[in-house]
Amino acid sequence: MLEDTGLTGVLKDGEEAVYAVGEHFLSLVTFLGCAPQISLTDEAAVQGQPVCRICLHDFDAVQLLESQPASTLRCAACRTPQRRPSEPEHNQQLTCPECGESSPLFRFDWRRSAAFGCFFVEIENVFPHEAVPADRLMEALEALSGHGWDYFYLSR
Ligand SMILES: [Zn+2]
C-alpha cells in the first residue's frame, strides 16, 4: 500500500523491510530550510552522504522509540518538566505535580523526540526537524490503516 502512494520504491537487496524512496516521495515529505541535503538514490548520492531509505518496523506490542539523549518530558497542559518513569508504559497514568492534569503517558509532550507505537514508518538519513510529512502522507496512512498517525524525530 505504501508503494501505491509512491512513498516507497523497491525493496533494498538483502533487506527484509527496507525500501528505496518511491516516485512520489518528494511530494509526500516536505523539506524545510533553504538547501536541504538529501540523497535519494545510490547513483545520485553526494559523496559521503547516506541515502534516504524507508524502513518499516512492526512490533507485536507497543514500543517506545526514544531519541538519545532523550528530550525533557513535559506536561501537555502546563508544560512543566516531568520526571520520566524508569520503565515507561504508554498507558501508564501520570499526574502532573504542578497543574494536576492526569493522562496516560503517551499523551504527555515528548517534544517529537519519542513515540509509542506498534508500527513505525521510518525515513532514514534525513536531518531531524528538516523533513516534515505532508498532509497528503498523513491522510494516506490514515486511510490505509484506519488509525490516526503522528510523527517524531529519532536521534541515535
Ligand atoms: Zn501540568
Side-chain angles (χ1 to χ4, degrees):
M1 291 189 286
L2 288 173
E3 201 178 324
D4 291 342
T5 65
L7 180 72
T8 57
V10 296
L11 191 62
K12 289 282 193 180
D13 284 344
E15 304 273 5
E16 202 170 294
V18 181
Y19 298 84
V21 299
E23 57 179 332
H24 299 310
F25 177 77
L26 288 177
S27 65
L28 295 167
V29 179
T30 303
F31 287 87
L32 308 175
C34 41
Q37 287 290 307
I38 46 165
S39 293
L40 298 181
T41 62
D42 292 320
E43 296 74 35
V46 176
Q47 182 83 28
Q49 188 173 42
V51 174
C52 237
R53 311 186 312 166
I54 317 276
C55 307
L56 306 184
H57 304 280
D58 190 3
F59 299 101
D60 291 334
V62 175
Q63 301 286 315
L64 171 64
L65 298 189
E66 189 173 22
S67 293
Q68 298 299 332
S71 288
T72 305
L73 181 64
R74 290 179 184 273
C75 172
C78 75
R79 315 269 316 130
T80 299
Q82 307 288 306
R83 185 183 301 165
R84 180 190 178 284
S86 54
E87 308 248 330
E89 294 286 339
H90 74 286
N91 55 2
Q92 172 182 2
Q93 201 74 13
L94 209 67
T95 302
C96 171
E98 184 67 26
C99 73
E101 176 81 5
S102 185
S103 316
L105 194 49
F106 76 89
R107 292 206 182 279
F108 276 73
D109 183 2
W110 291 81
R111 311 197 68 197
R112 291 208 187 281
S113 71
F116 291 101
C118 289
F119 193 86
F120 297 87
V121 178
E122 179 181 10
I123 299 172
E124 277 189 346
N125 301 324
V126 295
F127 284 106
H129 303 280
E130 190 176 84
V132 179
D135 291 345
R136 233 180 100 194
L137 175 57
M138 301 306 268
E139 288 159 10
L141 288 169
E142 190 168 339
L144 295 173
S145 66
H147 299 283
W149 284 70
D150 205 348
Y151 67 96
F152 67 107
Y153 300 96
L154 191 61
S155 306
R156 300 190 261 226

